[in-house]
Amino acid sequence: MNLEEGVESLKGIGKKTAESLRKGGIKTVRDLFYYLPRSYENFQNLTKIANLKPGKVVIKGQIENLNTHYGRSRRLAVTEGVIKDDTASVRVVWFNQSYRAKQFQKGKTYLFSGNFELKYGRLQLTSPSATLYEEESDGLKNAIRPEKENLGFQPIYSAKLAIKPDQFKKFIKTAKPEIARVPDLLPKASNLKPNLRSESLLKVHFPKDQKEADEGRKYLAYEEIFELILAARLNREENQKLKSEKLPFKAKNTKEIISTLPFTLTPGQKRATWDILQDLEKPVPMNRLLQGDVGSGKTVVAAIAAYQAIKAGAQVALLAPTSILASQHVESLDTLLKPLGVKTALLIGSTKNKAELKKHIKSGDVNLVVGTHAIITDDTEFNNLAFCIIDEQHRFGVAQRQKLLLKSKDGLAPHLLSMTATPIPRSLELTIFGDLEVSTIPEPPKGRMPIKTKIIREMDQTEFLYPKVKEEIKNGRQVYWICKAIEDNPKEETVSVKKQAEKLAKIFPKSKIDFLHGRMKPAEKDEKMLKFQSGKIDILVSTTVVEVGVNVPNATLMVIMDAEGFGLAQLHQLRGRVGRGEHQSFCFLVKSGEEPPSRRLRELEKSTSGFYLAEVDLKIRGPGEIYGSLQSGVLDLRIATFSDTALIRAASKQVNEFMKNDSLENYPELAHTIKKYQQLTTLN
Ligand code: ADP
Ligand code: MG
């Protein structure tokens, strides 16, 4: 069977179901076969309710009297009911799983697996999993004896839109003979057996125990990592085939710009600068990532590199993710480069006299153009664009390189430098980012005071936070106050920007308070940001639009409401908005509820190192999610965990052999599947 065929070509999947699956991203037979169980449930020791003993138990029965009510704060949904079998009944409780109220069909029998325990003076089954029990289905039939029925080891799939977990189980079961015939995807490695793919898929979908499931999953992860690494190597190979202009290093010029700096470069900055200046000299395009924590001083490194290019007669473009950030860059670069005779221009949506400016760009009068990435996607023409710097994005994909090729001269590809403050864990560097050279600025300039971070409960704000706010404002400092939502939503209890701004106006009647959010027009956002920058606002209540790059050194206090609702990387970025000046800065992570703070918040309280936090983040969350936040979800990593460095090394070795001795032409399916990895990009 061709894995590229639509899911409807499988037995048991009709047009309508296929449509629902498609909407959930499961389009082809391959997609379905690789829709792996979320977890497994061991139904090997089924107990009659009358014989239940406290501990982990599995029971079979019907559910009755199911209803949901809410706890005091409405944050806790309690779904309660009674499970009955032919011996007795038992209370069952789920917390914050209100979908359970609709999960069960009347009269049907289900399997429940969970903890049987004494709670609030009663025995109950707490938050068990629940699966439909089908008498006739093969895996469930092998009853050993009525008391201890062996229902085996069962996969549990996640629901996807309208498709329920049990439906996935059925589709996969029906397709079992087809899965057994799936041909291998990867080239044969000398040390691996044939038919590993079909075997592994079977192990994952129909394991006899957890060990078998893990084995299957490990091979599929290996496949995925192999694809990623191969895609990166191919990209690098393609990049190496391109030609670009040599922009020679001249010691005199570099000394000249460095001598104008009001500080000395840190060792990390020096090393990174040197890497880049050398790359620029080569006739193949640079493809380098410059990573350094917020405030580590990446901009000046970029400026020194830009100066080398400009002195060699080339034009340089710097792309920023937002127009606020582009405006800030142009300001600091102009201060640095204007005295050296460099002409810098800002090109963003609100730029006046655009046509005039574009003429100067085309003629080559302007040396350095700063703007959002629209610069490379719209009709701006350059005279000789040979160097492209991109801030706070992660890389150029193949498509962007193509576009840039069209903008540069004589088919020469521009040199590319990406800068990021979200460090890439080492394991990702080897795989997904394997086509990039990486330079790292490991430490901030000396003399910076680390931001003091504190987790507090919402109810403790009056005691611990408000006095601090007053103090900072009295000392002439400014405050960011981050909320998740723009407006109040009656269904959620998250604090909104508008409500919070009103509330703060009452608490701090003498202070100037304003707000900012992503739904405002760009010009309005810029205006508020400028007001904040020039000190006309004391407290800026905002959504995360201020997350990247904005530089207001006088802001010393960052308050993040509902901090548990944000990811670690994002919290670190937000915190990086303060601590940019000479004053001690503070960050308050405000959490609602009474539960102890998550590991995420505790790590953030402990550390200000983006590199450390990125590693922690990779451990706490799946790599898919991390990558998702880097790449806006372009890549959906299904299986691989980047913590398995042995697996990564093995795959990397096999890719090397493959690149040396084999060709993708011999593997049409592989050629097809790695395309999507090769296209990875954040810019569209
Ligand atoms: P980021 O890496 O976050 O982009 P910036 O380039 O904006 O950091 O630099 C942050 C601040 O640090 C700027 O005001 C910059 O002038 C200053 N800076 C950069 N390098 C040094 C250095 N070596 N010593 C002292 N200050 C520096
Ligand atoms: Mg920056």
Side-chain angles (χ1 to χ4, degrees):
M1 155 163 257
N2 182 353
L3 296 180
E4 272 310 297
E5 279 178 55
V7 274
E8 66 277 5
S9 59
L10 284 167
K11 237 185 271 159
I13 299 184
K15 261 216 168 87
K16 226 173 115 195
T17 312
E19 191 46 43
S20 308
L21 283 168
R22 239 192 303 280
K23 276 191 197 134
I26 300 167
K27 297 172 188 145
T28 63
V29 171
R30 183 192 299 104
D31 295 338
L32 184 66
F33 290 1
Y34 277 87
Y35 191 72
L36 307 187
R38 168 168 59 84
S39 60
Y40 300 89
E41 204 55 77
N42 196 345
F43 291 118
Q44 266 150 3
N45 295 306
L46 194 69
T47 319
K48 291 286 185 192
I49 293 175
N51 300 336
L52 281 181
K53 292 193 187 70
K56 186 111 175 98
V57 299
V58 182
I59 57 174
K60 187 178 93 180
Q62 283 113 29
I63 196 155
E64 288 174 5
N65 301 336
L66 204 58
N67 73 76
T68 300
H69 55 90
Y70 289 87
R72 263 168 301 142
S73 66
R74 269 198 82 79
R75 271 171 205 266
L76 190 67
V78 184
T79 306
E80 273 187 284
V82 171
I83 302 171
K84 263 191 171 160
D85 69 6
D86 51 4
T87 64
S89 64
V90 60
R91 208 168 89 93
V92 58
V93 180
W94 286 282
F95 299 105
N96 282 340
Q97 299 185 14
S98 35
Y99 64 92
R100 295 286 185 193
K102 287 191 215 114
Q103 180 190 355
F104 302 100
Q105 288 163 269
K106 251 212 160 79
K108 292 258 166 124
T109 301
Y110 291 84
L111 292 161
F112 301 89
S113 170
N115 232 4
F116 182 58
E117 56 183 10
L118 189 66
K119 267 261 168 103
Y120 312 111
R122 279 190 294 185
L123 279 162
Q124 66 176 38
L125 191 58
T126 310
S127 296
S129 71
T131 329
L132 185 63
Y133 171 76
E134 296 161 285
E135 307 273 356
E136 70 282 9
S137 59
D138 51 10
L140 303 178
K141 216 166 43 184
N142 45 354
I144 298 170
R145 55 195 153 102
E147 262 316 290
K148 269 200 178 296
E149 216 175 330
N150 181 2
L151 298 169
F153 197 68
Q154 295 285 323
I156 300 183
Y157 297 89
S158 302
K160 193 119 211 184
L161 303 179
I163 313 277
K164 295 201 187 75
D166 289 329
Q167 280 177 283
F168 278 111
K169 208 158 151 180
K170 215 177 220 163
F171 299 151
I172 296 283
K173 209 172 265 175
T174 315
K176 191 171 176 181
E178 303 288 349
I179 295 175
R181 282 199 294 273
V182 169
D184 275 343
L185 173 73
L186 301 188
K188 258 180 211 52
S190 43
N191 56 336
L192 297 175
K193 290 186 298 180
N195 296 326
L196 264 177
R197 174 150 73 153
S198 57
E199 211 172 88
S200 304
L201 283 168
L202 288 174
K203 278 182 177 171
V204 166
H205 288 295
F206 310 97
K208 69 172 191 294
D209 51 26
Q210 186 66 46
K211 188 169 155 276
E212 208 175 79
D214 291 344
E215 282 166 12
R217 192 171 283 260
K218 187 161 178 176
Y219 179 74
L220 298 178
Y222 179 82
E223 257 187 5
E224 199 168 58
I225 289 174
F226 183 96
E227 291 176 289
L228 279 170
I229 297 177
L230 181 59
R233 300 273 164 90
L234 290 171
N235 275 352
R236 181 195 284 251
E237 213 170 57
E238 270 168 37
N239 197 52
Q240 293 291 318
K241 275 190 217 142
L242 299 172
K243 297 243 174 319
S244 54
E245 191 178 339
K246 292 198 235 174
L247 307 166
F249 167 75
K250 298 255 166 65
K252 181 175 134 283
N253 297 335
T254 302
K255 273 195 193 135
E256 185 188 8
I257 177 167
I258 289 179
S259 72
T260 65
L261 299 176
F263 45 71
T264 46
L265 294 176
T266 64
Q269 283 174 316
K270 279 186 195 158
R271 242 177 294 130
T273 306
W274 185 231
D275 289 343
I276 297 164
L277 299 187
Q278 280 179 300
D279 279 358
L280 290 176
E281 291 198 291
K282 295 183 187 142
V284 291
M286 163 167 70
N287 191 24
R288 185 172 288 278
L289 181 74
L290 173 59
Q291 57 174 0
D293 226 325
V294 183
S296 61
K298 297 182 290 294
T299 316
V300 59
V301 173
I304 298 169
Y307 191 56
Q308 173 166 319
I310 290 162
K311 279 298 205 184
Q315 280 178 302
V316 179
L318 189 149
L319 317 183
T322 64
S323 43
I324 299 177
L325 207 54
S327 315
Q328 285 194 352
H329 270 311
V330 99
E331 222 169 276
S332 52
L333 289 168
D334 210 36
T335 316
L336 212 58
L337 295 169
K338 197 172 179 181
L340 301 167
V342 173
K343 280 210 190 94
T344 304
L346 177 68
L347 181 57
I348 54 176
S350 57
T351 300
K352 299 202 179 76
N353 270 334
K354 242 185 237 156
E356 183 70 16
L357 176 58
K358 284 187 180 180
K359 251 189 247 161
H360 290 297
I361 296 173
K362 190 176 173 184
S363 72
D365 287 350
V366 173
N367 309 113
L368 171 62
V369 184
V370 181
T372 55
H373 74 255
I375 298 182
I376 61 156
T377 47
D378 75 3
D379 60 352
T380 316
E381 287 178 67
F382 288 80
N383 177 45
N384 179 23
L385 178 64
F387 182 24
C388 217
I389 303 163
I390 166 162
D391 190 27
E392 303 295 356
Q393 294 277 354
H394 293 84
R395 52 183 275 163
F396 282 89
V398 171
Q400 280 66 44
R401 292 183 208 173
Q402 299 297 329
K403 275 197 188 108
L404 281 170
L405 270 179
L406 298 176
K407 297 222 176 271
S408 50
K409 207 167 63 174
D410 309 328
L412 292 173
H415 296 282
L416 301 180
L417 176 68
S418 313
M419 305 194 285
T420 179
T422 310
I424 294 166
R426 183 82 188 119
S427 48
L428 293 195
E429 197 179 309
L430 290 170
T431 49
I432 305 168
F433 296 92
D435 57 336
L436 292 174
E437 305 287 339
V438 179
S439 295
T440 302
I441 306 179
E443 277 165 4
K446 282 216 179 66
R448 292 266 166 84
M449 282 174 281
I451 301 162
K452 291 190 178 151
T453 304
K454 202 168 162 46
I455 304 170
I456 66 162
R457 294 183 302 180
E458 211 174 308
M459 62 184 95
D460 294 334
Q461 288 181 101
T462 317
E463 191 176 345
F464 296 114
L465 176 56
Y466 299 155
K468 187 78 202 156
V469 175
K470 229 184 203 143
E471 183 189 330
E472 291 300 300
I473 295 177
K474 206 178 106 221
N475 291 336
R477 306 284 88 76
Q478 291 163 279
V479 182
Y480 286 106
W481 207 298
I482 306 298
C483 303
K484 209 157 185 172
I486 298 174
E487 269 164 284
D488 264 24
N489 176 348
K491 279 210 203 100
E492 282 180 44
E493 278 191 27
T494 45
V495 183
S496 74
V497 164
K498 290 185 182 164
K499 258 277 169 51
Q500 186 67 29
E502 284 168 26
K503 187 174 161 191
L504 291 175
K506 285 191 200 120
I507 302 173
F508 306 105
K510 285 191 212 127
S511 303
K512 289 161 280 176
I513 295 163
D514 210 333
F515 63 88
L516 176 66
H517 59 72
R519 249 190 265 143
M520 290 175 171
K521 296 218 174 69
E524 199 179 350
K525 273 191 277 190
D526 288 357
E527 185 204 310
K528 297 234 175 161
M529 210 52 233
L530 285 174
K531 259 175 86 181
F532 188 59
Q533 213 172 2
S534 58
K536 289 184 193 123
I537 299 172
D538 297 318
I539 304 178
L540 182 65
V541 185
S542 170
T543 55
T544 56
V545 287
V546 296
E547 178 179 329
V548 276
V550 189
N551 195 26
V552 182
N554 192 46
T556 52
L557 179 54
M558 166 63 68
V559 182
I560 304 173
M561 302 303 286
D562 292 301
E564 293 283 12
F566 297 96
L568 187 51
Q570 198 174 20
L571 289 169
H572 178 62
Q573 282 285 332
L574 284 168
R575 180 172 59 178
R577 295 312 104 214
V578 297
R580 305 175 75 83
E582 57 199 295
H583 307 284
Q584 175 64 53
S585 289
F586 305 87
C587 174
F588 281 79
L589 305 168
V590 183
K591 69 178 293 299
S592 51
E594 292 176 39
E595 315 81 54
S598 63
R599 167 139 183 237
R600 252 192 350 260
L601 297 196
R602 282 181 284 124
E603 293 283 3
L604 203 73
E605 194 176 36
K606 244 177 30 198
S607 172
T608 52
S609 158
F611 291 98
Y612 170 76
L613 293 171
E615 294 291 345
V616 168
D617 204 17
L618 188 62
K619 281 202 198 101
I620 301 179
R621 307 195 294 163
E625 262 184 273
I626 297 227
Y627 202 74
S629 65
L630 292 178
Q631 299 285 342
S632 352
V634 178
L635 175 63
D636 174 23
L637 283 178
R638 296 159 310 208
I639 315 153
T641 72
F642 287 101
S643 47
D644 196 342
T645 42
L647 203 67
I648 292 173
R649 235 175 276 127
S652 172
K653 200 166 149 233
Q654 204 198 337
V655 170
N656 282 344
E657 280 167 27
F658 176 81
M659 295 282 285
K660 246 190 269 155
N661 309 321
D662 212 339
S663 157
L664 210 48
E665 279 167 33
N666 304 326
Y667 306 90
E669 191 193 345
L670 185 61
H672 176 84
T673 55
I674 68 162
K675 261 222 180 78
K676 71 166 188 245
Y677 298 121
Q678 270 194 282
Q679 296 293 344
L680 280 181
T681 170
T682 44
L683 295 170
N684 293 303

